[in-house]
Amino acid sequence: MKALALDMDGTILDHSGNFSQSLVETLVELKKRGFLIFFATGRTPHEITSITPEGCPLDGYVAASGMGIYIDGRLVESASFEPEFVARMVEEARSKEIYYEIHTLEHSSRTLLQDQAYVYEDLGQDQPETMMNAEYRYAEETLQSTTQWVEKLTFEHVVKMFFFSTDMKKIRDWYDYLENHQDKSIYALYTTSRHNAELMLNGRDKANGLEILLDHYDLSFEDVHAIGDSMNDLPLFERAGRSTAMKNAPEPIKEKADDITSHTCDEGGLERYLMERYLD
């Protein structure tokens, strides 16, 4: 293997959203031994850079599940939804009082200020047992954010739409609605927990995003070891020379992987795996 393609949430990050310094040190050592380090994540660039510790080696990253490709921090390719589609989906979410965010590559998430009342009623609920700590903390931070809430939304250059609820039935019904929507050919539908749903542009995924990075570095997918825990990692698993699922991944993800880490993301599973496989 010559390159690592690493998911972030539930893989690099634990369920509290922490990126450990010891993992950074492990990645630095792997970089010294000749590995290229790539992140392949559903996060947007702002979400990636804001949580990645200083000194972490990163040769390139696939943001928003293939919507933005970056090499050495420089955008080399991007795609986005048609503005009319984004406007339509926002209105449908608002009509069902589903919390929504729209993301661009340049800016963090945005939600209309006029929808704050119903969002507060939803996200202000006590943390359900089915919700991860990082998710609940994210909901709390959203309610207190000074940048999240805007008077007017711009639907240009949107790369991701994110939906969330503390009410699992409510978000499940919304997910099912999206799964059967007439516009389903436009988007790819993902979920990374039982309380969210994400829309990415159909035809863009982590694998075709990574392909651009590999072409730049003159590598093939056979050179890549992909590690992840979610359904948006499956396109990578299908093409990578080796695929590893985190112990905390759902069973359908584990079934598609070549192997599984011995520990979860909350137990330093990625770092332990990389050390045992490549550094011992």
Side-chain angles (χ1 to χ4, degrees):
M1 296 291 111
K2 298 178 181 179
L4 298 173
L6 307 175
D7 173 50
M8 293 195 76
D9 293 87
T11 303
I12 290 174
L13 308 177
D14 63 21
H15 284 138
S16 293
N18 299 313
F19 193 137
S20 75
Q21 185 59 41
S22 60
L23 175 57
V24 172
E25 294 165 5
T26 298
L27 294 176
V28 167
E29 184 58 34
L30 287 165
K31 178 68 176 174
K32 289 178 181 177
R33 299 194 185 193
F35 279 88
L36 292 173
I37 310 297
F38 302 133
F39 293 172
T41 175
R43 287 177 170 249
T44 58
H46 172 80
E47 295 171 314
I48 296 168
T49 56
S50 65
I51 204 167
T52 301
E54 186 175 350
C56 181
L58 187 56
D59 296 288
Y61 58 86
V62 178
S65 293
M67 302 289 275
I69 317 302
Y70 290 76
I71 297 173
D72 293 329
R74 176 176 56 88
L75 178 65
V76 295
E77 186 170 315
S78 66
S80 61
F81 287 108
E82 290 293 334
E84 295 79 9
F85 168 77
V86 178
R88 190 161 63 248
M89 295 309 298
V90 166
E91 283 308 305
E92 291 182 358
R94 296 180 69 211
S95 71
K96 294 176 171 58
E97 297 195 344
I98 297 289
Y99 172 66
Y100 62 88
E101 298 172 354
I102 62 172
H103 295 247
T104 67
L105 294 177
E106 296 80 14
H107 302 291
S108 57
S109 60
R110 297 288 188 268
T111 307
L112 278 173
L113 179 63
Q114 65 195 82
D115 295 322
Q116 214 172 39
Y118 81 72
V119 173
Y120 267 61
E121 184 175 348
D122 184 336
L123 303 194
Q125 300 297 315
D126 292 338
Q127 181 178 358
E129 293 182 0
T130 51
M131 182 177 288
M132 296 180 292
N133 291 336
E135 286 186 290
Y136 192 67
R137 187 171 69 248
Y138 178 79
E140 292 179 317
E141 292 171 352
T142 295
L143 297 180
Q144 300 167 10
S145 173
T146 58
T147 59
Q148 180 71 43
W149 308 96
V150 294
E151 295 281 356
K152 185 177 180 180
L153 287 176
T154 299
F155 301 129
E156 301 283 342
H157 310 301
V158 172
V159 298
K160 179 172 79 170
M161 302 188 68
F162 178 80
F163 308 96
F164 182 79
S165 177
T166 58
D167 185 333
M168 197 157 63
K169 182 182 184 305
K170 185 177 184 180
I171 195 65
R172 185 71 249 177
D173 288 346
W174 176 247
Y175 184 94
D176 290 343
Y177 173 80
L178 295 173
E179 181 69 39
N180 297 292
H181 195 272
Q182 62 183 3
D183 288 331
K184 182 66 190 302
S185 62
I186 296 175
Y187 57 79
L189 174 61
Y190 298 110
T191 181
T192 56
S193 86
R194 287 183 278 184
H195 288 272
N196 69 41
E198 296 180 350
L199 298 186
M200 307 294 186
L201 191 64
N202 194 21
R204 305 287 298 199
D205 57 40
K206 291 184 179 183
N208 54 40
L210 186 64
E211 188 169 14
I212 295 169
L213 297 180
L214 297 179
D215 287 345
H216 175 81
Y217 288 103
D218 196 25
L219 298 177
S220 72
F221 273 98
E222 286 300 313
D223 298 316
V224 176
H225 187 165
I227 306 177
D229 77 310
S230 297
M231 61 189 297
N232 62 3
D233 295 308
L234 291 181
L236 277 181
F237 283 14
E238 292 171 0
R239 300 185 67 183
R242 185 167 192 84
S243 61
T244 298
M246 297 296 293
K247 184 179 179 181
N248 46 276
E251 286 304 317
I253 310 302
K254 293 177 181 177
E255 291 171 1
K256 299 292 186 179
D258 294 318
D259 65 344
I260 302 167
T261 64
S262 300
H263 299 83
T264 70
C265 63
D266 295 319
E267 301 165 330
L270 175 61
E271 181 182 357
R272 291 186 185 197
Y273 179 88
L274 292 173
M275 291 185 69
E276 290 170 4
R277 185 166 188 87
Y278 294 117
L279 299 179
D280 278 355

